[in-house]
Amino acid sequence: MASLHVMLMALVLCGITLDQSRVEAKFSKSMYINWGSQHCSISGNGEDVQLVLDQVSGSGVQSKRAFLFGSIEMLIKLVPGNSAGTVTAYYVSSTGSRHDEIDFEFLGNVSGQPYIIHTNIYTQGNGSREQQFYPWFDPTAAYHNYTIHWNPTEVVWYIDGLPIRVFRNYESKGIAFPNKQGMRVYSSLWNADNWATRGGLVKIDWSSAPFRAGLRNFRARACKWNGPVSITQCAATSPANWWTAPTYSQLSFAKLGQMKWVRDNYMIYNYCNDTKRFNSQMPPECSKSQY
């Protein structure tokens, strides 16, 4: 058992070393400020964004294009200090009441207490699939790589190259999967003190404002959405559609080991274990293998 633990730790450290700062792109070419323009800035070189929240407004950016399948990466440095009541969001989403969405949300906390990394997925407007984690690092001290990868087989959430969660395609079993709607990329910093910290019990301390989160080097290695024709084009198996290669249809043994380490040590909530919430009528995907 000791040797297995050492091997898993080595794999984890390898993932961090290889993937933490791999993203390379410019916000100015691929994203724009969609909210709180007076509270958000894109640096002169176009590679960095600063999101700001104060009592007047929060702020946000979104991608110029929508995508279907591929890999979306961003380096993020979260609000330091007393961030209670704030949420930094990073997600992909379509629009409308039956939208698809894949989320990272970072729930702030009082000084000295850990952030909560909140993940969720919506399919055809239905969410309630939350899984939450404590970070195994200080997300305010440096930039970290957060990646959303999805293809016709699965959705995977990564942090610094370590997978933390998988949602597999069981559409053939009647479980909806995000494979028919193009999704844009969004990131924002906003006031969520009605729910974000201890269920809304802890409010924002505005004496600590303005709150600032940093974004760096957005990269989308993904299929561009060109309307309904993309449903088949982006899912077609071809060298150009690298995300359809067999190697991306399931996590490798090494990646499974990394994910097990994260989930065994840092997961704090899994909707599939919350029988009281669902009155024992669990969502159907909870009985399916996700890995």
Side-chain angles (χ1 to χ4, degrees):
M1 291 298 292
S3 61
L4 177 61
H5 179 74
V6 171
M7 181 182 71
L8 291 177
M9 282 301 299
L11 291 171
V12 166
L13 293 174
C14 179
I16 292 174
T17 302
L18 290 175
D19 292 283
Q20 186 166 347
S21 59
R22 190 183 55 179
V23 184
E24 298 177 359
K26 286 194 174 184
F27 279 95
S28 57
K29 291 184 177 180
S30 50
M31 302 194 86
Y32 65 93
I33 300 169
N34 67 339
W35 172 50
S37 59
Q38 302 303 313
H39 291 69
C40 183
S41 61
I42 299 178
S43 67
N45 61 12
E47 296 178 352
D48 293 76
V49 169
Q50 184 172 86
L51 302 176
V52 177
L53 167 67
D54 61 20
Q55 285 182 285
V56 175
S57 177
S59 53
V61 294
Q62 75 172 68
S63 63
K64 296 177 181 178
R65 297 199 64 112
F67 306 96
L68 179 66
F69 303 139
S71 186
I72 305 296
E73 304 182 52
M74 193 182 296
L75 302 180
I76 303 176
K77 184 178 180 182
L78 299 179
V79 175
N82 184 1
S83 57
T86 71
V87 167
T88 305
Y90 164 55
Y91 60 101
V92 295
S93 181
S94 57
T95 58
S97 60
R98 295 179 62 81
H99 74 290
D100 292 339
E101 184 176 327
I102 306 167
D103 295 345
F104 273 107
E105 290 184 304
F106 306 96
L107 314 186
N109 214 331
V110 295
S111 297
Q113 297 299 312
Y115 264 83
I116 291 176
I117 300 170
H118 177 98
T119 68
N120 200 0
I121 182 169
Y122 288 76
T123 55
Q124 298 179 18
N126 296 315
S128 300
R129 299 184 176 102
E130 302 91 346
Q131 293 184 2
Q132 296 181 334
F133 307 81
Y134 284 142
W136 51 95
F137 51 89
D138 181 353
T140 72
Y143 286 86
H144 290 268
N145 181 314
Y146 301 91
T147 296
I148 297 169
H149 176 87
W150 86 107
N151 60 35
T153 303
E154 63 183 10
V155 177
V156 187
W157 292 250
Y158 290 90
I159 301 177
D160 290 338
L162 276 65
I164 66 170
R165 177 179 182 180
V166 176
F167 184 85
R168 292 193 69 80
N169 185 349
Y170 284 104
E171 194 172 40
S172 63
K173 304 294 184 182
I175 300 169
F177 188 80
N179 58 5
K180 297 179 178 64
Q181 300 183 50
M183 294 192 278
R184 295 182 187 271
V185 186
Y186 300 85
S187 186
S188 59
L189 174 60
W190 52 290
N191 174 3
D193 70 3
N194 62 324
W195 68 274
T197 307
R198 295 185 59 202
L201 294 177
V202 182
K203 303 299 183 181
I204 289 180
D205 178 5
W206 291 110
S207 68
S208 300
F211 303 97
R212 304 177 190 275
L215 313 176
R216 179 173 291 173
N217 297 350
F218 164 72
R219 186 185 188 193
R221 297 183 299 125
C223 191
K224 296 176 181 178
W225 174 258
N226 293 308
V229 66
S230 296
I231 296 173
T232 54
Q233 288 181 346
C234 293
T237 302
S238 70
N241 291 354
W242 60 268
W243 50 86
T244 63
T247 188
Y248 297 105
S249 65
Q250 191 163 2
L251 294 181
S252 67
F253 175 78
K255 289 298 181 185
L256 286 171
Q258 292 173 349
M259 185 168 66
K260 184 178 188 304
W261 178 80
V262 172
R263 294 173 74 84
D264 285 352
N265 292 282
Y266 296 99
M267 174 178 271
I268 59 173
Y269 178 79
N270 182 353
Y271 75 108
C272 281
N273 296 333
D274 198 342
T275 56
K276 182 177 179 181
R277 173 185 178 186
F278 295 102
N279 195 26
S280 298
Q281 302 296 312
M282 303 306 293
E285 66 271 11
C286 292
S287 62
K288 308 293 184 185
S289 172
Q290 298 298 326
Y291 318 135

